[in-house]
Amino acid sequence: MRQFTSLRVALLTLGSLCFSSAYAASTLVPMSDAELSATRGQALMGMSYIAPTDSASNSSSNGNMGFYRLALDAQLELNANIRRLQLGCGGVNGAGACDIDIDYLSLSGGTVDSTSTERASSSAVITNPFLEFAVKNPDSASTREIQGFRLSAKSLSGLLTFGLENGDASTGINSLSGYMVTKPTGGTVTTNPYYGITQDETGTPITGRAQVLGNVYTVPFTSNSYNLNLGAGTGTLSMGQQIITGKRINTANLNATARVGGISVTGTLDATASVLGLPVAISGNVTGTVNNLDVNVAIKQSLGYFHAAQLNGSAGYLSVQGVNILWPEAASTAQTGWWLELTNPIDIGQITPTGNVDIALATINDALGQVSSYLNNNPVPCGALAYNCLLLGNLPIGTVDLTGKTPASMGLTNVVLQKQSFSANCYGSLKFC
């Protein structure tokens, strides 16, 4: 310890002598106030302070908290690969997990369409990076306390990727405490056929009305049994902007809507109608088509299927805090522990499932309910004395248009996202380096 102290004293003494010599050899020239005012310069680093009374301090959320920022007035370029990023493991949020746990994280310039060579030779641009401290009771020397700090910048431009590749396997984000947002998108969905749907299975009778007596008189009917087949249907998926946020999350619950049509309906149905007060058995072959079936789609998506975030000048940040803090100019409230915010919407591309989707029995029950509603408002033409429906054994339900009806429900899990493919940030054929 004494050796280091002696060395420091010697260096300070030498520096003082050199400065004194330079000072003595130069001549200072006085400047007027006008000359001083006309002088311009630029500091490499600057400090700023946001008081609790300033609107930017978000005092309604943060209380009596001030923010001290040390910023670098420059642009930094960075190309980096991190094999595994783990922050906040154990600690304030509990043992057995990490606030942030990401495999194969890469930061570079370029876009998701860049080749490996192009990406490896490019750099992300960080404009005016800064370190910011959140201080509780900043005006009280006895009670002030640092509550957190964050790393951010005025803008970030580049490509941030997680995992090795975009595919059927989950890779990359294992756990996230933070905030992300996805761009609005769409896709298509094709449903698998469903055969042998029985009333015993669904527990849902089909009701409706039938036209009799020359199709001028309608009577109600209720199915006693049926055995129906639904053909494959196709439709469009639509998903608005989605916010993904939370502490130590590994799954995103996304919500989309779909409109499915072209579903052929065939099979047999046995029902009882009331004609002039008398019960009349109606049975026969069902034929028809279901169009415009609206479906609410719940997508349970592992974060390991999100791989690429384009940082187009957005101001994301990485922070750690002992209390929940809404940092200045932030989009989310950072929760205790480590927090990563990516504000630029992530383009996940079409959310078209790679294969056909099974229609859940609950969805079929919903659809049968809508069919009953349609058949009550659009009676089946059975002809005079129910001749067509009774003697010929035909129950044509026509084209059932379910536009505007209560949507059914459908679930999807871990859809491979089309716009999340990327090249490795390496030269050659390596997936990670």
Side-chain angles (χ1 to χ4, degrees):
M1 183 68 184
R2 292 178 180 176
Q3 292 178 345
F4 286 116
T5 302
S6 301
L7 178 61
R8 183 171 58 187
V9 172
L11 290 174
L12 290 174
T13 304
L14 180 61
S16 176
L17 289 173
C18 293
F19 178 77
S20 299
S21 299
Y23 177 79
S26 62
T27 303
L28 298 178
V29 178
M31 299 177 67
S32 65
D33 288 343
E35 289 173 326
L36 288 172
S37 299
T39 301
R40 294 289 183 268
Q42 180 175 350
L44 177 61
M45 304 184 73
M47 296 190 66
S48 61
Y49 171 61
I50 298 176
T53 56
D54 194 305
S55 60
S57 71
N58 303 311
S59 59
S60 59
S61 299
N62 298 324
N64 188 29
M65 189 174 295
F67 296 90
Y68 295 82
R69 180 176 297 184
L70 176 62
L72 186 66
D73 192 5
Q75 281 190 342
L76 297 181
E77 295 186 354
L78 179 64
N79 184 297
N81 290 329
I82 301 175
R83 170 61 180 79
R84 188 165 197 180
L85 176 66
Q86 290 184 310
L87 298 170
C89 299
V92 67
N93 291 322
C98 301
D99 297 343
I100 297 173
D101 186 353
I102 302 174
D103 291 328
Y104 307 111
L105 185 145
S106 295
L107 177 64
S108 68
T111 66
V112 292
D113 298 323
S114 300
T115 65
S116 293
T117 300
E118 291 171 338
R119 189 179 179 198
S121 60
S122 66
S123 297
V125 178
I126 306 173
T127 302
N128 300 139
F130 63 80
L131 173 63
E132 188 167 40
F133 292 91
V135 179
K136 180 181 178 181
N137 303 322
D139 298 324
S140 173
S142 60
T143 62
R144 61 188 170 200
E145 179 183 358
I146 294 178
Q147 296 285 358
F149 74 89
R150 71 165 175 164
L151 298 170
S152 185
K154 182 179 180 181
S155 67
L156 302 167
S157 295
L159 176 63
L160 183 66
T161 60
F162 325 100
L164 291 176
E165 60 185 356
N166 187 31
D168 293 331
S170 173
T171 175
I173 301 177
N174 303 310
S175 176
L176 176 71
S177 296
Y179 172 98
M180 300 191 302
V181 60
T182 65
K183 283 185 177 181
T185 186
T188 59
V189 60
T190 301
T191 60
N192 284 318
Y194 200 119
Y195 301 111
I197 305 167
T198 66
Q199 188 165 322
D200 289 339
E201 179 185 14
T202 66
T204 303
I206 295 176
T207 64
R209 300 185 70 84
Q211 289 179 336
V212 296
L213 298 178
N215 296 334
V216 296
Y217 181 64
T218 63
V219 296
F221 69 84
T222 301
S223 67
N224 301 312
S225 64
Y226 51 76
N227 191 312
L228 301 177
N229 305 310
L230 298 182
T234 58
T236 57
L237 279 169
S238 178
M239 188 178 78
Q241 179 173 290
Q242 305 278 291
I243 292 176
I244 303 169
T245 187
K247 184 185 292 186
R248 292 188 175 182
I249 59 175
N250 51 36
T251 301
N253 294 313
L254 308 178
N255 296 298
T257 58
R259 174 163 287 186
V260 182
I263 303 174
S264 63
V265 183
T266 59
T268 59
L269 180 143
D270 177 73
T272 300
S274 177
V275 180
L276 300 177
L278 299 174
V280 176
I282 295 177
S283 63
N285 298 317
V286 176
T287 58
T289 303
V290 173
N291 281 334
N292 299 318
L293 170 63
D294 288 326
V295 183
N296 289 330
V297 183
I299 306 174
K300 187 176 182 179
Q301 190 77 4
S302 167
L303 295 186
Y305 287 83
F306 291 86
H307 298 296
Q310 198 74 51
L311 307 175
N312 294 329
S314 60
Y317 69 85
L318 177 66
S319 67
V320 63
Q321 47 279 315
V323 296
N324 292 352
I325 297 176
L326 179 57
W327 293 91
E329 303 167 356
S332 64
T333 297
Q335 300 180 35
T336 54
W338 287 90
W339 190 262
L340 175 65
E341 178 179 289
L342 300 174
T343 54
N344 193 63
I346 297 173
D347 186 359
I348 63 176
Q350 288 195 332
I351 51 174
T352 299
T354 54
N356 294 353
V357 176
D358 290 328
I359 303 178
L361 184 60
T363 301
I364 292 175
N365 273 331
D366 289 341
L368 290 177
Q370 299 306 320
V371 169
S372 292
S373 176
Y374 178 85
L375 293 180
N376 276 283
N377 294 321
N378 302 270
V380 177
C382 287
L385 298 176
Y387 176 82
N388 291 337
C389 299
L390 179 60
L391 299 180
L392 297 181
N394 295 321
L395 290 171
I397 65 173
T399 300
V400 180
D401 187 351
L402 299 182
T403 301
K405 302 300 182 181
T406 303
S409 300
M410 179 184 295
L412 297 176
T413 302
N414 293 339
V415 178
V416 177
L417 305 173
Q418 295 185 2
K419 284 291 187 72
Q420 292 293 283
S421 298
F422 62 94
S423 295
N425 189 28
C426 302
Y427 293 103
S429 59
L430 294 175
K431 291 185 176 181
F432 194 82
C433 53

